[in-house]
């Protein structure tokens, strides 16, 4: 059994609830424990993971958030930089599953967040588990 921290950028409550539920369900089904930490936005997720990873309290992390394209360039910055930050942390050996949705509209987000449809929260948790398992085998 491992301990995972779900780090969520809570902006769209109903979508986050679905993503977190999917992640928690996947972690529990694999026999792992999970807790949730909420941060202000998707850009803060990599920083929060980096801070908490220093404590060695968790074996892996699941990043959860929703970024919906708007009328400005802000979408590209948030989507790209949050993904870049998470990738940098994984290259440092931290087991992370990226469940930050970057979509054009709420309908796309709903399809991806819903456990009965695409279950991207559950997929992110499974990715974190896979990276943890890889780390346990080769780390």
């Amino acid at each position: 059994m491992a301990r995972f921290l779900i780090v969520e950028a809570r902006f769209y409550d109903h979508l986050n609830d679905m993503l977190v539920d999917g992640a928690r369900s996947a972690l529990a089904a694999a026999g792992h424990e999970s807790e949730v930490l909420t941060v202000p936005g998707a850009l803060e997720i990599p920083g929060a993971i980096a801070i908490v990873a220093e404590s060695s309290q968790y074996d892996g992390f699941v990043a959860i958030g929703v970024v919906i394209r708007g009328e400005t360039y802000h979408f590209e910055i948030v989507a790209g930089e949050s993904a870049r930050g998470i990738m940098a942390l994984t290259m440092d050996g931290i087991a992370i599953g990226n469940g930050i949705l970057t979509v054009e509209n709420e309908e796309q987000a709903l399809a991806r967040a819903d456990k009965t449809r695409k279950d991207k929260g559950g997929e992110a948790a499974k990715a974190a588990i896979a990276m943890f398992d890889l780390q346990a085998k080769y780390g």
Side-chain angles (χ1 to χ4, degrees):
M1 176 187 61
R3 294 184 69 218
F4 287 83
L5 183 64
I6 299 167
V7 181
E8 67 156 344
R10 182 159 284 271
F11 194 80
Y12 301 97
D13 288 339
H14 63 298
L15 298 169
N16 273 58
D17 288 344
M18 287 188 267
L19 289 166
V20 169
D21 182 46
R24 290 193 96 151
S25 294
L27 291 166
H32 300 299
E33 294 181 356
S34 65
E35 293 180 33
V36 177
L37 172 67
T38 302
V39 297
L43 288 174
E44 288 75 34
I45 291 174
I49 291 172
I51 291 167
V52 176
E54 291 286 321
S55 74
S56 300
Q57 293 180 40
Y58 297 95
D59 301 298
F61 300 86
V62 181
I64 296 291
V66 180
V67 183
I68 298 177
R69 183 180 299 278
E71 297 176 1
T72 68
Y73 185 69
H74 186 67
F75 171 86
E76 282 82 6
I77 292 170
V78 174
E81 291 302 311
S82 62
R84 185 196 60 76
I86 290 169
M87 182 58 67
L89 292 169
T90 63
M91 297 302 289
D92 287 339
I94 299 173
I96 305 171
N98 187 350
I100 300 174
L101 303 182
T102 52
V103 296
E104 296 292 326
N105 54 54
E106 187 174 348
E107 183 166 324
Q108 289 178 351
L110 283 167
R112 287 156 179 77
D114 189 341
K115 263 185 9 180
T116 64
R117 294 165 81 185
K118 297 195 178 207
D119 191 21
K120 294 298 182 180
E123 285 184 17
K126 290 174 185 173
I129 294 167
M131 295 306 291
F132 166 74
D133 290 343
L134 189 66
Q135 192 178 54
K137 184 174 182 179
Y138 295 104

